[in-house]
């Protein structure tokens, strides 16, 4: 079973896209350091144009759960979150937590 966390965000008007991408890369690296098996960045190509999605994968819900508490307690992660708020370069639209189910 795959388990995914997807964080949808939108760069704010006038924001430097380089600053946004650097922030997302740093955040993805923190998630991976704490145990995400992969981190991918997607740009929405139809529907909610202008949004981006940071996708984090885990082998299962247990592996996801092992990451969230240590990540949230990591001083570097907290500094990263505070710096994003202060910079005002992007806005989180929503977060989704998904679990893959077999079709057959």
């Amino acid at each position: 079973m795959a388990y995914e966390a997807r964080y949808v965000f939108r760069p704010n008007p006038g924001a430097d896209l380089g600053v946004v991408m650097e922030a997302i890369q740093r955040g993805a690296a923190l998630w991976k350091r704490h145990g995400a098996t992969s981190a991918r960045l997607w740009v929405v190509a139809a529907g909610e144009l202008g949004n981006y999605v940071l996708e984090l994968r885990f082998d299962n819900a247990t592996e996801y759960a092992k990451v969230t508490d240590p990540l949230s307690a990591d001083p570097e992660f907290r500094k990263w979150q505070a710096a994003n708020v202060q910079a005002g370069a992007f806005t989180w639209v929503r977060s989704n937590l998904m679990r893959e189910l077999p079709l057959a």
Side-chain angles (χ1 to χ4, degrees):
M1 172 183 63
Y3 209 71
E4 293 180 7
R6 291 189 183 178
Y7 298 94
V8 181
F9 66 95
R10 174 182 294 274
N12 290 333
D16 180 342
L17 194 55
V19 169
V20 173
M21 291 300 130
E22 183 178 318
I24 297 304
Q25 288 171 342
R26 285 186 56 228
L30 288 164
W31 275 94
K32 286 184 74 177
R33 185 173 75 197
H34 280 277
T37 58
S38 72
R40 296 179 180 170
L41 182 61
W42 300 81
V43 61
V44 176
E48 296 177 335
L49 296 175
N51 285 351
Y52 290 75
V53 179
L54 176 62
E55 172 196 310
L56 303 155
R57 288 191 176 223
F58 304 86
D59 292 333
N60 52 52
T62 301
E63 295 305 312
Y64 172 78
K66 287 179 184 177
V67 170
T68 55
D69 284 344
L71 178 70
S72 295
D74 183 337
E76 188 176 344
F77 186 72
R78 290 180 177 189
K79 287 178 188 175
W80 174 78
Q81 289 176 309
N84 291 333
V85 171
Q86 186 175 28
F90 59 90
T91 301
W92 289 110
V93 175
R94 79 177 144 283
S95 299
N96 298 313
L97 189 56
M98 298 178 298
R99 159 175 84 133
E100 184 180 26
L101 299 174
L103 290 174

